[in-house]
Amino acid sequence: MTENGDAPDGGSREGALDEGLRVPSCERCPALVESRSRIVDGVGPTDADLLFVGEGPGAQEDEQGEPFVGRSGGVLDEALRDAGLARADVRITNCVRCRPPDNRDPTTEELANCRGHLDAEIERLDPALIVTLGKVPSEHLLDRSVAITAESGEVVDARIAGASRRVLLSVHPAATLYDRSQRDGFFETIARAGELSGVSERDEGGDGQSRLGEF
């Protein structure tokens, strides 16, 4: 394989699959088209057993073109490390792929416009577990009202992208920045995500980071 993931002959099955999940252009949501600098697609393996779904890109995500790379992304990365998970082992995506103006919540119409892309990603991955990061993705995927602080850590079954899926509800990592009392619960939820999905197990004699190497 070459550095960019392509096979020497120019073909890459994994690269082709990943390209199939990218959205090269979209003009469905005028406010988002005006606000964004780029479309921010999901990142991570296209056969990941663990999928994290956030709300939408923020300023740094819009700038760098990758979900959860700002302050909240730093919290998520820390929780993943604490759980013995590498970011490269999981897939991270959002309900909408374009930054809403002033980081507002996406509207119902904007969520609906982008739902086909999210469903295609979920169907392609067929993950063992979906983790919803915050109220918006939780309500969007479960199609009901969610009291996210009270329900964080709960596992529910929901019909998503044509199949029954296990969904683990979680507060948004940004919540831990504004309310430190949320931090322990968030870290416990991420650890549970690794265990439920089978992606990692806590290291029973140590720091839970045996798989991370230099990550």
Side-chain angles (χ1 to χ4, degrees):
M1 299 292 285
T2 60
E3 188 176 35
N4 65 3
D6 291 335
D9 62 0
S12 171
R13 180 175 181 272
E14 187 64 22
L17 290 170
D18 193 58
E19 282 301 314
L21 296 180
R22 297 187 184 279
V23 181
S25 63
C26 183
E27 306 288 327
R28 293 179 183 176
C29 306
L32 301 193
V33 171
E34 183 176 349
S35 175
R36 77 187 184 203
S37 63
R38 73 189 72 214
I39 294 172
V40 180
D41 290 304
V43 295
T46 57
D47 59 352
D49 287 323
L50 182 53
L51 172 66
F52 291 91
V53 180
E55 177 181 321
Q60 291 191 50
E61 288 76 16
D62 179 70
E63 179 181 340
Q64 297 184 41
E66 182 172 336
F68 285 92
V69 293
R71 290 181 67 204
S72 61
V75 175
L76 177 59
D77 287 347
E78 186 180 354
L80 290 171
R81 289 194 297 268
D82 191 67
L85 291 164
R87 185 179 174 106
D89 292 335
V90 304
R91 183 133 183 129
I92 305 174
T93 194
N94 281 307
C95 291
V96 298
R97 301 187 180 221
C98 302
R99 181 193 179 194
D102 301 317
N103 289 338
R104 64 159 171 76
D105 290 347
T107 67
T108 301
E109 182 179 6
E110 289 163 353
L111 288 166
N113 285 343
C114 218
R115 182 58 183 263
H117 303 312
L118 179 59
D119 281 350
E121 191 168 17
I122 293 172
E123 185 177 8
R124 166 66 187 89
L125 264 68
D126 192 23
L129 184 71
I130 298 171
V131 182
T132 53
L133 297 172
K135 184 180 180 69
V136 170
S138 299
E139 294 189 338
H140 185 51
L141 288 180
L142 300 187
D143 194 26
R144 66 170 174 82
S145 178
V146 174
I148 191 59
T149 302
E151 296 185 54
S152 183
E154 294 186 7
V155 179
V156 299
D157 292 320
R159 189 152 190 89
I160 302 169
S164 179
R165 315 276 180 186
R166 279 201 308 174
V167 180
L168 175 61
L169 306 180
S170 173
V171 297
H172 195 282
T176 69
L177 298 171
Y178 308 119
D179 181 359
R180 294 286 293 183
S181 68
Q182 301 270 11
R183 182 178 172 87
D184 287 348
F186 176 72
F187 274 57
E188 290 169 4
T189 298
I190 300 306
R192 190 179 184 205
E195 294 163 1
L196 289 173
S197 64
V199 175
S200 80
E201 295 182 0
R202 279 193 176 275
D203 195 7
E204 291 188 3
D207 59 8
Q209 299 191 32
S210 59
R211 297 184 58 208
L212 296 177
E214 297 300 318
F215 180 75

